[in-house]
Amino acid sequence: MATLANHPAVRLAAERHARLARRLAALRTQAPAPDLVVEGQLTRVAGMTLEAVGCEAALGARCLIEGQGGGSIDAEVVGFAGDRLFLMPTGHLGGIMPNARVAPTQSVARVGVGDALLGRVIDGAGAPLDGRGPLRCTSRQRLDVEPINPLGRQPIHQPLDVGVRSINALLTAGRGQRLGLFAGSGVGKSTLLGMMTRFTRADVIVVGLIGERGREVKEFVEDSLGAAGLARSVVVATPADCSPLLRLHGAWRATSIAEYFRDQGRQVLLLMDSLTRFAQAQREIGLAIGEPPATKGYPPSVFARLPQLVERAGTGAAGGGSITAFYTVLAEGDDENDPIVDAARAILDGHIMLARPMAEAGIYPPVDPEASVSRCMSRISSPQHRAAAQRFREIYSHYQRHRDLITVGAYRPGGDPLLDRAVRLWPRIEAFLRQPTDTPVSLEESVAQLEALVNAEPAVAR
């Protein structure tokens, strides 16, 4: 033991530990100046989580970590335990050295906002991705802002034309409403999102591409938005290869930008693809700092973060603008009881379910009228419109319940007048649900076509 204690490496580590302990003791006995930066030391790297001692910083504060060659890496405080800070980098960890210096900064994450953002593509940190030079934003605001007093929000009373017939007619959305597009992988969430991006009548469009495939970013900008759509849009892209913290920041940044334009009195359309990737990023962070998993591997912080993000969208104060938000939600394995699907369905103002059987039958967009609902439709549509939508659902559901009998040839006309009517109208119903991705259908046209469909034959007395 004596020989080990006299080893140079052991003596050096002991002296460093003693100096750090004396420094911490001195700091505890005196109040540092407000602008004094107390540097700490990196003690452990586990995956994407860094542990530091010797410095104090609040949750959400930024720290600079000394890298190889004199560079630095930006990180954020995501937790602490005793005198240990848990940090998460916003970028890659290349160049981190053992016992690297950690310097807390006085700054917090802020978002550059202004009309200079229109037509630009940025990442989760606010850096341009489109090669068009630096951003010249007129003002800045915090990444996390205080939510609006719920009693200060104006009610939703105006419909929003999204250009998609099945949504306009059967699931009418209102300005300031928050809806989810729920589906399994490969069913058509992104395609439907692209249609609404091009067709929706809004002053400003903010698109958050969170945790999706990197190749989809350019495709979305060039194919879904196009030059005309991009001119009134802001795209925040944080693909799947970004750190979980940057993916979270991408969602917060897109929401904060939408809030700025709403506060300017504009009508904003916020499209986020996807809410599931946001939840998965928070799961990675929570599990990395030791938070216990609660439901299907998701820690409790995930279910606290979701409403914090979603509640920032919606209507603003009376006389101001609004944020109409559409969030895509991935139902893993087509499981409609997935915890994120269930949580999102409960906190959103409506859910649009996309059915895989409809997509496999060539019906695009594959909006399932039975499983979908818009909770604001009753306040923003006329009684005639609601009655027509109800009759459509009745006919559609009755046909689906007897679909197997019809398919195998067991159906015989005359026994059920409502089913007879559903069978006769079924080709027109399928044609109504289908819509080319490059052809918008206005709200007025959608409602007129719906009423013409359900009134094509006399209603059956039930």
Side-chain angles (χ1 to χ4, degrees):
M1 294 296 293
T3 303
L4 182 61
N6 291 328
H7 192 279
V10 176
R11 287 203 310 273
L12 181 61
E15 291 172 0
R16 181 179 294 167
H17 180 75
R19 285 197 304 271
L20 183 59
R22 289 194 298 270
R23 189 176 182 183
L24 289 173
L27 288 173
R28 292 190 181 100
T29 59
Q30 62 181 3
D35 58 348
L36 178 64
V37 176
V38 181
E39 295 182 353
Q41 186 180 41
L42 195 65
T43 59
R44 184 169 180 262
V45 178
M48 293 292 292
T49 309
L50 314 177
E51 292 185 17
V53 296
C55 55
E56 294 183 357
L59 284 175
R62 297 176 60 202
C63 295
L64 295 178
I65 303 172
E66 181 185 36
Q68 192 175 25
S72 62
I73 293 174
D74 191 31
E76 183 176 305
V77 179
V78 295
F80 58 85
D83 60 349
R84 293 179 299 153
L85 287 182
F86 299 134
L87 309 171
M88 187 73 67
T90 57
H92 297 290
L93 286 175
I96 289 289
M97 300 286 291
N99 302 316
R101 289 186 300 172
V102 178
T105 67
Q106 301 296 326
S107 64
V108 295
R110 291 187 175 272
V111 180
V113 291
D115 285 350
L117 287 172
L118 294 176
R120 302 300 302 269
V121 183
I122 61 177
D123 64 9
L129 295 175
D130 50 14
R132 295 171 52 192
L135 296 168
R136 292 177 174 82
C137 296
T138 56
S139 58
R140 301 179 71 83
Q141 63 186 33
R142 288 178 61 95
L143 195 65
D144 53 337
V145 299
E146 292 294 327
I148 297 177
N149 186 329
L151 295 181
R153 290 183 184 267
Q154 57 182 327
I156 298 173
H157 53 78
Q158 284 186 324
L160 178 71
D161 187 353
V162 299
V164 180
R165 179 169 47 221
S166 55
I167 297 177
N168 278 340
L170 304 173
L171 306 162
T172 310
R175 290 194 181 276
Q177 191 173 351
R178 299 157 303 187
L179 295 103
L181 303 179
F182 295 76
S185 57
V187 177
K189 299 184 301 298
S190 299
T191 302
L192 178 56
L193 206 67
M195 292 176 65
M196 290 190 293
T197 304
R198 295 189 301 274
F199 302 157
T200 302
R201 297 176 182 174
D203 299 328
V204 176
I205 299 173
V206 181
V207 181
L209 302 177
I210 311 301
E212 296 299 319
R213 292 174 286 273
R215 69 166 180 82
E216 293 182 337
V217 176
K218 188 173 183 178
E219 292 177 1
F220 192 92
V221 171
E222 294 183 353
D223 300 337
S224 297
L225 281 175
L230 183 60
R232 60 181 178 130
S233 304
V234 184
V235 180
V236 182
T238 52
D241 59 342
C242 294
S243 71
L245 184 64
L246 199 61
R247 278 177 267 149
L248 285 186
H249 280 195
W252 295 121
R253 185 172 296 273
T255 304
S256 188
I257 292 171
E259 287 173 322
Y260 167 80
F261 288 113
R262 176 187 62 189
D263 295 342
Q264 301 297 312
R266 306 191 201 184
Q267 304 300 329
V268 183
L269 176 66
L270 173 63
L271 305 172
M272 192 167 294
D273 188 12
S274 72
L275 197 64
T276 303
R277 304 304 183 195
F278 172 84
Q280 290 173 347
Q282 178 61 35
R283 176 173 65 179
E284 291 179 43
I285 294 175
L287 295 179
I289 64 177
E291 191 179 1
T295 306
K296 204 175 179 179
Y298 287 99
S301 62
V302 171
F303 304 99
R305 287 285 195 182
L306 286 175
Q308 289 173 2
L309 177 69
V310 169
E311 283 296 323
R312 290 173 60 177
T315 55
S322 66
I323 301 174
T324 307
F326 286 89
Y327 303 91
T328 65
V329 182
L330 174 65
E332 297 185 359
D334 291 342
D335 182 10
E336 294 185 4
N337 295 316
D338 178 87
I340 301 303
V341 171
D342 196 48
R345 193 164 44 207
I347 62 178
L348 291 170
D349 300 325
H351 49 272
I352 300 172
M353 307 297 295
L354 305 185
R356 189 177 297 276
M358 295 178 68
E360 292 172 346
I363 300 176
Y364 280 95
V367 175
D368 187 348
E370 290 184 291
S372 305
V373 66
S374 171
R375 294 190 174 99
C376 297
M377 182 176 175
S378 59
R379 295 197 301 272
I380 58 177
S381 58
S382 67
Q384 295 81 5
H385 179 188
R386 294 195 297 273
Q390 181 62 31
R391 288 198 298 272
F392 181 96
R393 285 194 175 89
E394 183 181 29
I395 297 169
Y396 182 91
S397 299
H398 204 65
Y399 183 93
Q400 292 293 348
R401 284 197 298 270
H402 298 84
R403 190 183 190 99
D404 291 341
L405 294 177
I406 299 170
T407 303
V408 301
Y411 159 72
R412 293 292 181 269
D416 186 340
L418 181 60
L419 183 57
D420 294 343
R421 186 181 184 218
V423 171
R424 290 192 299 269
L425 289 177
W426 189 250
R428 295 184 60 179
I429 290 175
E430 286 191 325
F432 178 84
L433 295 174
R434 283 190 176 95
Q435 182 177 338
T437 58
D438 58 352
T439 305
V441 181
S442 69
L443 177 61
E444 294 78 11
E445 292 174 323
S446 301
V447 175
Q449 292 174 15
L450 173 66
E451 292 178 349
L453 172 61
V454 299
N455 294 326
E457 297 185 12
V460 178
R462 299 298 303 278

